[in-house]
Every structure is written in structure tokens, then in C-alpha cells.
Amino acid sequence: MSSSSFDQDKELAEFFTDVEHLREAFKNAVAAPTLTKRLFVIHGVGGVGKSSLLRMFRLHCRSVNVPVALASGDEAKSAFDILARWTADLKVDGVSFSAFSKTFAHYREIQAKVDAQAKKAGGRAADIGGKAASKTAEAAGGALAGAAIGSMIPGVGTAIGGALGGVLGGMGAEALTDWLRGFLKQPDIDLLLDPAKKLTDDFLNDITKVADKRRSVLMLDTFEQMTALEDWTRDVAQRLHPNVLFVIAGRALPNWSRAWDSWQKRAYIEELKPMTEDVMRELIQRYYATMRGGEPAPAQVEAIIRFARGLPMVVTSAVQLWVKYGVEDFQSVKTEIVANLVDRMTEGVPSALLPALEAAAIVRWFDQPILRAVLQQDDVRDAYNELRRFPFVRVRVEGLALHDAVREIMDENLCAQDSERHREMHERAATYFEKRLEKATGEEAERLGLERLYHRVRADEVTGIKLFQETAEELVRSRLISRLRALLNNVRIDLLEQENSKLWVEYYSARLLHLEAQRADAEKAYQSIYENNNAETRLRAYALCDWGSILERTAWLSKPGGTEKATNVLERALTILSNEDPKTVSALLSLCGVYTRLGDYEHAIYYGKKAIEFSEIRQDSYALILALESLRWIYVLSGDWQSMLANQAAGEKLLTSHGKSPYLLARVIGSFTIGCSWAGNYSESERRSIIALGAFEELSAPATLSYLRELAYAEGMQDKYEKADENFGKALQVANLLGYQREKVTLSFWGRILIRQGAVEKARNLLIESYNSGQELKDPGVMIESLNWLAEVAEIAHDWLDAETQYNRALELRRTRRYYFECGALTGFVRVKHAQDDFAAIPPLLAEAEQLAQQYEYNDHLASLRLTQGHIAWEGKAPTWDNGFEAALHLYQHALIYALRYNRFLLDEVLSGRSQGTPLRPIIPHCLKRGEEGRQMLIALRDWWQAGVNDIGTPRPDTISPIPEGIPLLEAEHIAREREPGDGSPQKSVIEQIEVALGYSVI
């Protein structure tokens, strides 16, 4: 580093502000005996002070006598450039580069030889060869003396050969290589064509000798301009001596993860963000004191803070001009200061280039086609090439771009100086991107759409914000969170003039918070927008709708006055929404949700059907799908499996005509798969949950809690206990991230699976916790589920009094109208009364359970009822139906058919049992206790199963069972077992299980 650079760094240190923790971390790394992190990576947007921070790092190294070298992408465009810059800096600190110097000297000798041979060749070859040698020598020039090597080599590999081939007037790299072989050895040719490889090796060897004895620091600035050197830089980072600290600063992190997956473990990574207002305030005061002395006026400090937008470069420039003008009111001269800033930025720029520079400031990135469209000129090649060399132009993935702060200042200046030209140029840019959008797809379409929106807003705010609303609403509907975030980042509130424009941006920012499950913050934002009297009516109504969708959740409804507040907010939204506004569906469905959670299904269905009617009139398939889903939730909770499945089929039919939408796919296929499980379709429930989770992963959306726990439930019911435990654990993690203190539903479902697994005590603890949470949150739906399963735990433990208590408590919650669990409690009560020999109490319980089970086709409950009835009949104690062997056989047959219609898991439970994980008293163990009569029962059941059909009297044309009625039982069993493969374990047929019990040899 030269003495002038050292002096400039010392001057910068007088007012350099903030990032003390980064400076301290760097100092500690430099002083540490052993580097725990060999990489120091600073990233952040342009203009936030990364380059200044590296200069402070360099100054510190100089102050503690640590060799340091700094290369910048502003100056260095090749590996050659970087090595030259580093060696020049390190030589100042007394570091020698013997191997590097020797190789470079040899390289120059080769160049001279090529030059001489080209001249001898004469004619075109002499001319071309001379140019090539001259270019190469010029590019390489004087690195050992500290001069910068030229930019001929953009990277490593064959880049020099390609450059020489271009200089050689079309000779081509292969012809050039053949020509070189005439007078050079292959190693010399390799060095000539790719000096970076050998020079890099020698540089690393030389610095290793120094690093063995003392700490050294290498730094790269503006790394985003070195994209062609990504692999070369990674190779250097991997090969550097462990005692060398490597510092990289750029707009983004290095893209090394694929080639070096552990690099981040070796790195201290920090994002340098725009300055906070407090930090900018301190910088202004310190810089003002450096420039003029004394304290700046506080009001003017605040004005500069608003103007600078967090970028220290703009802060210091603004203070310089403020001091120069010497006025009290910064705002009064802001326009002139902006103009002066533009003048300073354009010093030395030819007047002919200024229109192109204005065009570059209008757009956020540019190439020649964009410049042609904005300037309306046919040939912009010269202007484009000049702009490439403009000091404030940076390289982006899309093309070239002015530095963000510079671009915004120049754009603001044009708007102030010539608003008509400003609008016209933005309209041209918008038109250009619209034309490109017509043929674009995927990520390119997203990127071009953002550019179009930016220019529409800048050209005409009213029209632009309308486009913003339409775009944002579509992204919200599709739950494309990352794209919505990008859209919001694309519209700067500080550049908007109208209050309602700003409020619409704030509203969709709140929608983003809502979608990311930050409901408390979203609720505050919605309420604030609604209470803003300056907000337009439609915007206030939208805020009310989404506020109401938060209030409809159980956690909010359970608060004092929660129900009244939710319904009032949503009904108020409906009164101020226009009759045609699609947001009406949102308010209707939220009211549907409120009444569903309250168990008031009549009102819930009323609002759900109104939403369906509204959606059908508007032919809005998206809203119709969501309305159907709301009704499906009611059917799942009420245990109406037939309506649930019909609703599901209607939703899937709509989905096929709606196009691809991961969000709608998840909602149609995966929502409330628990109903599918409760109806006996475990494998189908698992499949649907996996599809839904995949869709949400595609959306990068957090709303996966219900899908995870319902997947886990389906897995557990198929005996996939490890997978179930894993997904229940993930569900609780998601609940924790969402801020749920108690995830009562997940605990309840997990408890049910633990019962099946035989871990009844652990199941009991989880179910008690779930019940208590449901009671605290006033959620009787969860309470009745937990009580049913707690009663089953008591049954398994033969604690009949506790089981009776739990079933009684469940039946006290009939008001929830959870008919599946109400029927389950009645069915369990029948089992308990049988165990207690209280036969007189059974008929009314049986009749009530039978009525619900037949009405809603609860095949699992019917199987349990018939099984218990069969036991009682065989015992000769049936109070209202036939007793004896034949009666029991008939009831057992019905129990097996109902179980078969439910699924093969229940069929095996009813027949053989599942160790301690079921409250049922299965047939085979019961028969084996009855000696010869039991054997006769098993033989009769075996013979009947071999010849019988799936028939229990009157057929049900609307059956929910996947097993066709009237087909042979053996065929029906085959279908059932194929539908539910479970964990893949071998299955034994009914015949095999009976014959094993009878003592026959079954292969």
C-alpha cells in the first residue's frame, strides 16, 4: 500500500462510523494465535460502506505490522490483476515472492521470443504475431514493479489463448498453438496461454513461507464484479495457508456451496446493512465536525437522514454540499443538492453521453436493447461501451446497472428538472418490458414483470399502484410468498406521493406478515389501516376482512368477547364491500369458520353456501375451491363422511380445470386428510398429505402444521411408528415457530397413535395435556377427541370406572356435534357396560350408537358394536337380541364385514387383536378360551369366509366403503389388503389366521 493510500485511510478513520463489532471481530482474528475462521466474508447492497470497512481493516493491519493486501473488482478483472495487486501491496510489507518473480520473468522471456518469431515470419503472420506479443506484453506489464497487470485475462484456463486467437486476426487458438509449437516447448506454451495457473501456484507457495512465521491478510473488494473468477477465488481460498486470513466483500455471498460444501463452516459471515438512523446521525455529526467543525443543526441532520436512505456514500456527499452551501434549511436546497450530486457524479462525462446516462438511471439494469428502447435510437453501441467504463456502473446478472444510490439520485434529479421527459422515459421502459413479457416464462417472466411494475409506478403512480394491487392479490391467492416479498421490495413507499398508494403497499406488507404466520403484527397493521380515515373505502374493507380472518381462529375466539369481536369485524366488512368485490368471499368464509369453531353448523353452512353462490355467479373457481373446502371442514368435524367425500370430488374436479397452482393443490388434495383417516382410508390420507407438503415446500410457505400432524396420524395408523414420531416432532417444532404455546391437536393425535403402539402411559400424559389445553382455550372439539382416547386407555388398563367417567365427560360435550366421536363414546360405553356386566344399561346406549353409526356409515363403530353384541349373545346375556352360538356367529360375521369395509387393519384387530393396543376383545382369543365350542365357532367362520359375500342385508348405493357390495369375501379381502399395504410387513389372510389358531400348518 502506498503512503498516499495510508494517509487516505487515516483520514477516513476520523469519521468512519459504526460496525464496531465487525472491526473488533477482525482485530481478534488478526491477533489470534490460531485462526478458527480462515474466511471473513462481508456482504450487503451497494453503497453501505463495505469498501470503507476493508480500508479500516487494512489500516489496522498496518498499525500492528501485519502484512496486508487489498484488490478490488473495480480495478482487477482477472486473476492476473489480483495477484499483481496483492504482490505489490505485500512487497511494501517486506514480503518477497521469489518463485512468483522467477515465473513471471520467464513468462516475459517467452513473450519476447514470440515477438521475435512473429517478426521473422513476416507478412500477415509477422503483423499478427507482433500484435499478439505486443498485446500480451502490454497486458502483463510491470507487475513485479508494482504496476497493475492488464485486463487481458478475464479468468483462468484457456482465456489468454482465446484472447490471442482474437488478436491474431481470425487465426484461431488451435492454429496459434500449432505455430507456437514450432519454437516453444509445451511447458512454455502452457505458461504463455495460461499464466494464471502457474503464477497462482507460485504465489501460494511464496506466501506459505511467510505464513509459517507470521499472520498475513489478503482481501478482495467488490467481489460481485469478479463472477468470472468465482472458481479461481474458491481454489485460492481452499489452498491458502491456515495462518492467512482471507477477507471477501461483495453484494452477495460467494457461490461455492456445490464445489465446497463446508466453506461456510470455515467463515465468519456478516451482512452489512444500510445504516440505521442513529448510526447515520452519528456519521453526519462526525463528518460535519471533520469538514467544518462544531455541531450540525438537528433538524437538518434528520433531513439528510431521510435523503440518504441509509447509504454512507450519500450521507458524506450530502454533508459536503450542505456545508458548501452554508444554508440552515437542507430541504430548501435539496433539489439543488441533488443536481450538484449529479454534477459531481458526471464530471468528465462527454455531453453526448449524458442522454444515455439518463436512460441508464431510469432503468434498474440495462443492455443495448433497453437503451435503444428508452433512447429511441437505432444504434447505441458506442454509448453502451462508454457506459461500461463509467465509474458508478456495476455488473448485475441481468446486465449492467448504475449503483443503486447513484441511480436513484439521478432519477430524482431528472424528475425534478424535467418531469415530462422523466415520465416519457419510464413509459418507454415499461412498454419495452411489457413486450418482452409476452414471450417470457418462469423466472424471466417474474423478473420482467417486476421491472414493468417499477416503471409503471414511476411513470404514473395511480396506474402503477392499480397494477401493483392486481399483481399482489394474485400472488396472495396463490400463496407465492417469495414472489410477494420480491414485489413489495420492488415498490418503494418513500418514492410514492399519494397516501393511499402507500397504504396499499402497507396492506400487502401486512398480508405478507399474515401469510408468514406473524399474525400479531399483521393484526395491528390491518387495524391501523382500517382506522385510518384517509384510506379509501375498499382498502378499509379489505383490511377488515383479513383482520377478521385472524380473529376467527380458536385462540382469538376463546378470549373474552372474542366471538362478538370477530363477527362484528366481518359483518362490518360485508356492509362496506361492494356487491361485486371478490373479497366478499373472504369475509363469508371467515364467518363460516367462526361458526364452525363454535359448533353452530347451521350458520356455518349458511355462510359457506353463500360463498359458493357468490363464487359461482362470478365464475371464480379459486374462491369456489376455498368455499368447498370450508364446507368440507364442517363435514369432517361433524363426521359426515359421505358429504366430505362428495365435496372432495367436487374440489378435485375444479382443480383440473383451474390450472397448476401448488397452493390450490395443497388445499384440495391435502386439507383435512384426518377425515380420510377417520373414515378408514389410511394409505390415501398419507398420500394426500405428502402431496400437500410437497406443494407447500414448493411455495416455501410455513403453513404446514396440519399437514404434518395429519400425515403423522396416517403413518401411525399404518404401524409406521418411526415416521409418525418424526413428523409429530416436526409438527410441534412448526407450532413453536408459529408461537403456539400448546399444540393441543398434535398432542391429541400423537396420543391416539401411542395407544395403538401400546405406549399407553405416555399416550395418557399427552392426551391429558391436550384436554387441558382444549379446556383452557375453550375448544370442546379437541376435548371430546381427547376424552374418547383417554377412555380407551382406561379400557386397555381394565379401569372400567375411569373409562366410564371419560366416556360420560365426552357425552357431556354433545353440543359440539362431533357425531363420530359422540358415536365412539357410546360404542365404548357399550364395551364398558359389558365388562361391568351391566347388561340393562346396554340397550339404550346401543340403540343410540347404532342410529348414528348407520346414518353416517361409521363402519369401525359398527364393527365394535357387533363384536360386543356377539360376545354377549354367546354368553347368553343379550337383553334385547337373540342369544346362543348361532346368534353370536351371525353377529361375528357382521363384525368382520363392517371391519373389512373399514380397512384391513380393523379386520385383523376384530379377528386376532393387536396385543395391548386396542380396547376391543377380538374373536380368535375369545374363541380359544371357550374350548371345543370356540373351535367350532372358528371353523364356522372359516367356512363362511371362504364361501360368503360382502353383504349385510339392505345394500347402500351411496356407500363410502371402497369395497364393492355383493362380491365374494375373499375378493373383497384381497382389495382391502392391497389398498392398505401398511409398513410392508407380510399380511396373513383371515383364513390363515383362523387356521393358525386351529393348529393347522399354514405355509
Side-chain angles (χ1 to χ4, degrees):
M1 182 176 68
S2 66
S3 59
S4 62
S5 297
F6 183 65
D7 293 338
Q8 290 171 2
D9 289 352
K10 289 176 66 177
E11 290 175 4
L12 173 63
E14 293 180 12
F15 58 86
F16 186 85
T17 310
D18 198 29
V19 293
E20 294 299 328
H21 69 291
L22 272 174
R23 297 176 70 182
E24 191 63 27
F26 179 78
K27 290 178 182 178
N28 291 337
V30 169
T34 302
L35 284 173
T36 57
K37 302 284 188 180
R38 293 168 49 195
L39 297 171
F40 210 91
V41 181
I42 311 297
H43 66 103
V45 298
V48 291
K50 300 184 295 295
S51 298
S52 296
L53 178 61
L54 262 58
R55 288 173 60 189
M56 292 299 92
F57 288 171
R58 181 171 66 180
L59 183 64
H60 172 72
C61 290
R62 293 284 290 174
S63 69
V64 294
N65 198 30
V66 169
V68 60
L70 170 61
S72 171
D74 287 333
E75 304 164 350
K77 304 299 182 185
S78 69
F80 231 16
D81 297 331
I82 294 170
L83 292 173
R85 182 69 265 165
W86 280 347
T87 54
D89 281 358
L90 291 170
K91 283 188 66 178
V92 175
D93 291 328
V95 178
S96 62
F97 289 90
S98 56
F100 182 89
S101 300
K102 183 178 178 180
T103 298
F104 187 75
H106 183 53
Y107 172 65
R108 293 297 299 272
E109 291 173 0
I110 297 170
Q111 285 182 308
K113 187 179 293 187
V114 170
D115 187 22
Q117 289 295 325
K119 290 176 180 178
K120 288 180 183 179
R124 179 174 178 274
D127 178 61
I128 293 171
K131 289 180 181 178
S134 174
K135 275 284 185 182
T136 308
E138 178 185 351
L144 296 181
I149 296 176
S151 58
M152 183 176 178
I153 310 169
V156 290
T158 60
I160 290 184
L164 282 174
V167 174
L168 289 176
M171 178 184 284
E174 186 175 348
L176 171 65
T177 304
D178 289 339
W179 177 65
L180 292 172
R181 286 197 185 102
F183 57 91
L184 290 179
K185 296 179 180 178
Q186 189 59 47
D188 291 346
I189 295 174
D190 294 340
L191 180 60
L192 177 71
L193 299 184
D194 188 6
K197 182 180 185 305
K198 175 61 174 169
L199 289 171
T200 300
D201 292 341
D202 290 343
F203 173 85
L204 292 171
N205 290 332
D206 285 335
I207 201 168
T208 293
K209 296 175 183 177
V210 178
D212 281 333
K213 301 176 182 178
R214 61 191 297 201
R215 175 68 37 76
S216 299
V217 178
L218 297 178
M219 297 194 289
L220 283 179
D221 192 15
T222 56
F223 186 63
E224 69 274 4
Q225 296 196 47
M226 304 179 190
T227 53
L229 298 177
E230 190 94 36
D231 292 340
W232 178 83
T233 309
R234 171 181 49 77
D235 179 64
V236 169
Q238 288 179 287
R239 296 169 59 193
L240 273 173
H241 190 281
N243 204 30
V244 177
L245 179 61
F246 194 13
V247 182
I248 298 175
R251 293 196 180 187
L253 292 174
N255 186 24
W256 292 345
S257 296
R258 287 189 178 182
W260 187 12
D261 57 4
S262 65
W263 79 268
Q264 293 192 39
K265 296 179 182 179
R266 305 167 185 267
Y268 179 98
I269 301 173
E270 183 85 17
E271 180 181 3
L272 199 59
K273 298 180 179 180
M275 287 182 165
T276 64
E277 290 190 1
D278 288 341
V279 174
M280 280 195 291
R281 196 170 289 112
E282 181 183 349
L283 174 59
I284 292 169
Q285 291 168 347
R286 293 181 64 177
Y287 193 58
Y288 185 90
T290 301
M291 293 286 297
R292 186 175 184 176
E295 292 285 335
Q300 308 315 308
V301 171
E302 300 308 309
I304 293 177
I305 287 173
R306 290 191 297 272
F307 171 71
R309 300 164 190 160
L311 300 182
M313 179 191 74
V314 179
V315 170
T316 53
S317 298
V319 172
Q320 285 178 358
L321 292 170
W322 180 36
V323 170
K324 174 183 176 182
Y325 282 104
V327 296
E328 290 300 320
D329 185 4
F330 173 82
Q331 199 65 32
S332 67
V333 293
K334 177 186 171 186
T335 302
E336 192 62 28
I337 287 177
V338 167
N340 276 320
L341 275 170
V342 172
D343 288 342
R344 290 180 60 179
M345 294 170 186
T346 57
E347 286 177 359
V349 176
S351 58
L353 184 63
L354 289 177
L357 190 55
E358 281 183 342
I362 283 291
V363 294
R364 296 188 293 189
W365 57 271
F366 63 90
D367 52 19
Q368 291 190 45
I370 292 175
L371 289 180
R372 279 199 298 270
V374 176
L375 290 171
Q376 290 191 329
Q377 295 178 8
D378 294 332
D379 190 352
V380 294
R381 286 176 294 181
D382 291 341
Y384 177 78
N385 289 329
E386 287 294 327
L387 286 174
R388 290 178 61 190
R389 292 186 283 272
F390 188 62
F392 295 107
V393 167
R394 302 289 186 261
V395 177
R396 283 178 44 164
V397 174
E398 302 90 343
L400 301 179
L402 282 176
H403 187 288
D404 292 341
V406 174
R407 177 180 55 78
E408 290 178 7
I409 288 171
M410 294 186 70
D411 185 53
E412 186 174 339
N413 181 61
L414 180 60
C415 185
Q417 301 291 334
D418 190 343
S419 59
E420 185 175 332
R421 177 170 169 76
H422 178 265
R423 182 179 63 254
E424 183 181 344
M425 294 180 78
H426 275 292
E427 286 177 348
R428 291 175 189 169
T431 301
Y432 168 80
F433 286 114
E434 283 169 354
K435 288 181 179 178
R436 286 192 58 183
L437 260 173
E438 294 173 359
K439 299 180 180 179
T441 58
E443 292 183 2
E444 183 186 13
E446 294 172 21
R447 177 169 53 84
L448 295 175
L450 292 176
E451 298 305 319
R452 174 189 63 166
L453 175 63
Y454 169 76
H455 292 294
R456 283 292 171 216
V457 171
R458 296 297 288 151
D460 178 4
E461 188 172 307
V462 174
T463 303
I465 287 298
K466 185 175 184 296
L467 176 61
F468 164 76
Q469 293 171 29
E470 294 169 354
T471 306
E473 189 62 31
E474 184 59 34
L475 295 177
V476 168
R477 277 188 158 214
S478 302
R479 294 306 192 266
L480 297 174
I481 292 177
S482 60
R483 288 181 58 185
L484 178 60
R485 187 182 299 110
L487 179 72
L488 288 165
N489 291 337
N490 198 62
V491 180
R492 290 264 302 275
I493 285 185
D494 59 300
L495 296 179
L496 299 175
E497 296 180 357
Q498 299 186 20
E499 184 173 3
N500 270 287
S501 297
K502 297 177 181 179
L503 287 173
W504 275 112
V505 177
E506 289 180 8
Y507 166 73
Y508 282 106
S509 296
R511 295 294 288 128
L512 178 61
L513 290 171
H514 195 165
L515 294 177
E516 292 178 325
Q518 299 181 51
R519 297 187 182 92
D521 291 336
E523 182 182 3
K524 290 177 183 177
Y526 293 143
Q527 185 173 356
S528 174
I529 292 169
Y530 167 70
E531 293 173 350
N532 188 326
N533 292 327
N534 294 323
E536 60 182 273
T537 302
R538 179 164 166 259
L539 176 55
R540 298 179 73 215
Y542 274 39
L544 278 174
C545 286
D546 295 305
W547 184 12
S549 71
I550 292 177
L551 296 176
E552 77 164 272
R553 299 181 65 82
T554 303
W556 273 261
L557 292 176
S558 64
K559 297 177 181 179
T563 300
E564 293 77 9
K565 183 177 181 180
T567 53
N568 288 340
V569 165
L570 290 165
E571 287 168 358
R572 200 179 316 149
L574 286 172
T575 61
I576 62 177
L577 275 168
S578 74
N579 293 333
E580 300 298 322
D581 198 304
K583 196 70 173 177
T584 300
V585 171
S586 174
L588 291 171
L589 293 183
S590 289
L591 280 167
C592 175
V594 169
Y595 289 111
T596 300
R597 288 182 169 89
L598 296 175
D600 185 350
Y601 296 146
E602 282 80 10
H603 277 92
I605 291 173
Y606 167 77
Y607 284 111
K609 288 186 174 179
K610 282 196 70 173
I612 289 175
E613 181 184 352
F614 185 90
S615 304
E616 287 176 337
I617 291 173
R618 298 189 71 257
Q619 296 184 330
D620 186 345
S621 59
Y622 171 92
L624 187 53
I625 284 173
L626 297 188
L628 285 171
E629 183 197 36
S630 292
L631 285 181
R632 185 161 70 253
W633 184 28
I634 298 172
Y635 299 141
V636 169
L637 293 178
S638 62
D640 187 348
W641 305 149
Q642 187 180 105
S643 297
M644 174 192 74
L645 293 173
N647 181 289
Q648 181 78 42
E652 290 181 13
K653 184 177 179 181
L654 279 173
L655 185 64
T656 58
S657 62
H658 194 273
K660 294 182 179 179
S661 167
Y663 175 66
L664 288 182
L665 176 68
R667 296 295 292 263
V668 172
I669 300 298
S671 288
F672 313 121
T673 55
I674 190 64
C676 195
S677 289
W678 287 339
N681 301 317
Y682 302 155
S683 179
E684 178 70 5
S685 179
E686 178 187 19
R687 183 186 71 83
R688 290 176 175 275
S689 297
I690 289 172
I691 291 173
L693 284 167
F696 269 94
E697 283 182 10
E698 185 178 343
L699 292 168
S700 301
T704 57
L705 174 57
S706 63
Y707 299 92
L708 277 169
R709 69 189 175 209
E710 293 181 19
L711 170 61
Y713 186 94
E715 289 170 334
M717 294 304 288
Q718 297 174 83
D719 303 335
K720 301 177 182 180
Y721 299 123
E722 288 187 11
K723 287 185 176 180
D725 288 348
E726 179 183 353
N727 283 316
F728 278 130
K730 287 180 179 178
L732 292 178
Q733 290 175 1
V734 171
N736 184 56
L737 290 173
L738 294 175
Y740 299 164
Q741 294 182 347
R742 294 179 178 178
E743 208 331 81
K744 55 189 183 302
V745 179
T746 302
L747 295 176
S748 176
F749 289 0
W750 203 348
R752 174 65 184 88
I753 298 307
L754 288 169
I755 293 174
R756 183 178 182 85
Q757 195 173 354
V760 289
E761 190 56 37
K762 186 176 179 181
R764 183 175 183 276
N765 292 335
L766 290 185
L767 291 167
I768 290 173
E769 185 177 351
S770 173
Y771 173 82
N772 291 337
S773 298
Q775 190 174 43
E776 181 181 333
L777 295 172
K778 301 178 183 178
D779 188 350
V782 170
M783 293 164 63
I784 195 172
E785 293 173 16
S786 300
L787 287 170
N788 266 270
W789 294 329
L790 279 168
E792 288 190 14
V793 169
E795 278 193 79
I796 292 167
H798 294 179
D799 188 344
W800 309 120
L801 288 178
D802 185 41
E804 183 176 5
T805 298
Q806 304 303 341
Y807 283 133
N808 264 322
R809 293 171 71 192
L811 291 173
E812 289 172 0
L813 296 172
R814 291 173 188 262
R815 68 182 187 279
T816 63
R817 299 166 71 180
R818 300 289 301 278
Y819 298 127
Y820 177 70
F821 287 93
E822 182 180 333
C823 185
L826 291 165
T827 302
F829 229 143
V830 170
R831 293 193 300 267
V832 171
K833 289 304 177 182
H834 173 216
Q836 293 174 326
D837 292 332
D838 186 358
F839 299 105
I842 290 176
L845 294 171
L846 179 63
E848 197 173 356
E850 175 90 14
Q851 188 275 325
L852 284 173
Q854 291 291 357
Q855 179 180 352
Y856 293 110
E857 204 172 352
Y858 298 150
N859 288 317
D860 51 341
H861 295 332
L862 285 168
S864 175
L865 290 172
R866 294 295 179 267
L867 180 63
T868 304
Q869 285 181 277
H871 293 332
I872 295 171
W874 205 359
E875 293 164 7
K877 297 178 180 179
T880 58
W881 62 91
D882 291 340
N883 285 302
F885 182 94
E886 290 299 327
L889 173 62
H890 180 71
L891 290 165
Y892 286 159
Q893 289 171 344
H894 279 205
L896 289 171
I897 288 178
Y898 281 126
L900 169 70
R901 292 178 175 183
Y902 188 74
N903 63 32
R904 66 93 174 174
F905 290 103
L906 185 60
L907 178 64
D908 291 339
E909 283 188 26
V910 169
L911 185 64
S912 300
R914 296 183 46 79
S915 65
Q916 59 179 342
T918 177
L920 302 179
R921 292 170 60 186
I923 293 171
I924 288 177
H926 192 67
C927 288
L928 294 178
K929 292 179 182 179
R930 297 183 67 95
E932 182 57 30
E933 189 180 21
R935 288 180 57 83
Q936 293 304 314
M937 179 66 76
L938 290 176
I939 291 170
L941 287 172
R942 180 198 61 186
D943 294 344
W944 162 74
W945 193 265
Q946 287 177 324
V949 295
N950 177 26
D951 182 16
I952 309 184
T954 305
R956 296 188 68 138
D958 57 349
T959 180
I960 67 167
S961 173
I963 310 298
E965 295 187 16
I967 65 172
L969 288 172
L970 293 179
E971 181 184 348
E973 181 184 5
H974 178 73
I975 294 172
R977 294 193 181 281
E978 276 197 334
R979 283 180 57 86
E980 296 290 344
D983 63 357
S985 300
Q987 300 181 39
K988 288 185 178 180
S989 70
V990 169
I991 301 300
E992 288 173 330
Q993 293 179 63
I994 292 176
E995 293 195 340
V996 166
L998 290 171
Y1000 300 153
S1001 176
V1002 178
I1003 299 176

